[in-house]
């Protein structure tokens, strides 16, 4: 790879770009942490019209960071500008849940947003675009976007469960008094909601230079089957309670991890969690869902890690989160057809 001024810039879109996750995210992308240190970037920032003045402030700050890889920043509220010729789309913006709002109302509002964005991807983006959906309900929003972009391969769509994955890694690492990079192959199964199942039956912990199964390293089955799971499931709510704002710094870090792994692949013998299209998996999860699986990535293409043994404890939890997703999907598809 030659010096970065010779490389073609890639076009990266972030939606909800005036929001707090984007504020933590944009610097890392523009600095080269995600797409590589020699990869110039054109950043497209999309938000709704009332947020445009805020977006101008974000643009000024990005300019003031004086980042060598950042070729251009384009703030916009128009999909035909936002989605044009994209290499990567990070869809952070969604309708947040307001107090007293039914999940059904939330779904309805989001179906409208992600139908529009899917159609815009279909019409304006490159067919090779990699699309990451962050805005909640992320799995179902991702499914709606992919259904609304029939000319883009379903494999190009994924939703973020890396934050849950990172949370699970970190909980195990702290329990074993090691740093987080000594824990690998935890799995988040299913929905990015409180029904998700953080599974450490296949995880390994590096203790003093030797790899030990997580259950053996932690030596506390009650914790692993109880508080560990609920801590990971409820972590988002715990952050909101403490901070009075949702987890933005950790979400941004997880987005960077997810996209970087799509771009550069996973390490040999390691897998990560991503919400991906469930067709043809060996775990009996219904097709036509975006469901979080363990995946390995090579040449920008993910593959579900198939054939891991699943015990009854895991099975029940994997099925429970799948049935929540089926229900969400069916509700969303009703709205989509209206």
């Amino acid at each position: 790879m030659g010096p970065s001024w010779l490389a073609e810039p890639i076009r990266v879109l972030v939606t909800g770009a005036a929001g707090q996750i984007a504020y933590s995210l944009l610097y890392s992308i523009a600095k080269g942490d995600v797409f590589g240190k020699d990869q110039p970037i054109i950043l497209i920032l999309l938000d709704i019209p009332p947020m445009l003045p805020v977006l101008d402030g974000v643009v000024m700050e990005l300019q003031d960071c004086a980042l060598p890889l950042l070729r251009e920043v384009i703030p916009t509220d128009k999909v035909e500008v936002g989605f044009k010729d994209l290499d990567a789309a990070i869809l952070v913006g969604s309708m947040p849940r307001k107090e007293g709002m039914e999940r059904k109302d939330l779904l309805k509002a989001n179906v409208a947003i992600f139908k529009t964005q899917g159609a815009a991807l279909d019409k304006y983006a490159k067919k090779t675009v990699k699309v990451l959906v962050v805005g909640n309900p992320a799995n179902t929003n991702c499914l709606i976007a992919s259904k609304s972009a029939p000319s883009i391969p379903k494999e190009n769509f994924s939703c973020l469960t890396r934050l849950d994955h990172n949370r699970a890694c970190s909980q195990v690492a702290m329990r074993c008094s090691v740093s987080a990079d000594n824990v690998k192959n935890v799995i988040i199964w299913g929905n990015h909601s409180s029904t998700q199942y953080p599974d450490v039956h296949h995880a390994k912990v590096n203790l003093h230079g030797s790899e030990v199964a997580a259950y053996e390293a932690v030596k506390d089955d009650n914790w692993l089957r109880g508080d560990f799971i609920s801590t990971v499931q409820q972590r988002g709510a715990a952050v909101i309670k403490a901070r009075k704002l949702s987890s933005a710094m950790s979400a941004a870090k997880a987005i960077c991890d997810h996209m970087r792994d799509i771009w550069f692949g996973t390490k040999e013998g390691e897998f990560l969690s991503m919400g991906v299209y469930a067709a043809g998996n060996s775990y009996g999860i219904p097709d036509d869902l975006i469901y979080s699986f363990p995946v390995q990535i090579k040449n920008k293409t993910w593959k579900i890690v198939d054939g891991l043994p699943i015990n009854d404890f895991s099975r029940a939890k994997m099925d429970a989160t799948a049935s929540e997703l089926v229900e969400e999907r069916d509700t969303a598809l009703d709205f989509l057809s209206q």
Side-chain angles (χ1 to χ4, degrees), residues 19-298:
Q20 51 146 8
I21 291 177
Y23 192 73
S24 281
L25 171 68
L26 292 167
Y27 174 70
S28 297
I29 293 175
K31 182 159 136 302
D33 290 351
V34 180
F35 300 103
K37 299 287 173 214
D38 328 310
Q39 178 56 68
I41 286 180
I42 295 170
L43 259 184
I44 300 109
L45 308 182
L46 181 77
D47 216 314
I48 54 177
M51 300 308 288
L52 285 178
V54 178
L55 216 46
D56 286 336
V58 175
V59 172
M60 285 187 247
E61 280 205 76
L62 280 165
Q63 291 166 344
D64 297 350
C65 287
L67 296 161
L69 292 173
L70 191 57
R71 288 288 175 84
E72 199 183 344
V73 186
I74 302 168
T76 185
D77 59 355
K78 295 183 173 46
V79 292
E80 60 275 21
V81 177
F83 287 86
K84 191 168 170 40
D85 296 336
L86 293 182
D87 295 282
I90 302 170
L91 308 184
V92 179
S94 65
M95 167 69 101
R97 191 170 186 161
K98 305 239 168 47
E99 234 172 296
M101 196 181 198
E102 291 292 315
R103 199 161 168 88
K104 211 166 176 161
D105 301 330
L106 184 70
L107 266 173
K108 188 171 191 174
N110 279 298
V111 165
I113 294 169
F114 285 87
K115 181 183 180 178
T116 304
Q117 298 197 338
L121 283 163
D122 204 58
K123 189 169 177 188
Y124 302 111
K126 291 181 180 170
K127 299 306 172 198
T128 52
V129 65
K130 300 295 181 190
V131 183
L132 167 56
V133 176
V134 178
N136 283 319
N139 299 57
T140 300
N141 287 345
C142 184
L143 187 68
I144 295 301
S146 90
K147 284 186 180 296
S148 307
S151 71
I152 295 170
K154 295 215 174 327
E155 295 72 42
N156 290 21
F157 287 83
S158 55
C159 83
L160 190 75
T161 56
R162 184 60 170 270
L163 177 51
D164 311 300
H165 178 103
N166 288 348
R167 286 164 171 163
C169 273
S170 184
Q171 289 297 317
V172 171
M174 289 189 294
R175 198 75 180 191
C176 297
S177 304
V178 297
S179 62
D181 61 345
N182 287 297
V183 179
K184 69 174 195 192
N185 296 358
V186 306
I187 302 167
I188 303 296
W189 297 101
N191 199 359
H192 176 63
S193 75
S194 58
T195 68
Q196 62 172 262
Y197 169 42
D199 177 7
V200 292
H201 287 96
H202 310 281
K204 300 264 191 284
V205 182
N206 189 325
L207 287 181
H208 321 296
S210 62
E211 279 199 349
V212 184
Y215 267 80
E216 216 177 296
V218 171
K219 291 191 172 49
D220 186 343
D221 292 14
N222 287 338
W223 181 75
L224 282 173
R225 292 183 163 213
D227 286 352
F228 162 71
I229 292 175
S230 53
T231 298
V232 176
Q233 289 173 334
Q234 305 295 335
R235 190 69 160 185
V239 171
I240 290 176
K241 193 169 186 265
R243 219 172 76 85
K244 310 291 179 265
L245 290 164
S246 64
S247 39
M249 185 199 315
S250 52
K253 160 66 165 59
I255 291 165
C256 291
D257 291 347
H258 178 120
M259 279 317 255
R260 189 186 57 245
D261 288 337
I262 288 180
W263 239 249
F264 295 104
T266 48
K267 292 190 189 115
E268 202 53 49
E270 289 191 28
F271 45 79
L272 300 159
S273 309
M274 272 167 59
V276 295
Y277 201 64
N281 65 87
S282 71
Y283 298 108
I285 302 303
D287 288 355
D288 205 33
L289 289 181
I290 298 280
Y291 186 98
S292 182
F293 287 98
V295 301
Q296 289 175 318
I297 307 168
K298 210 176 173 168

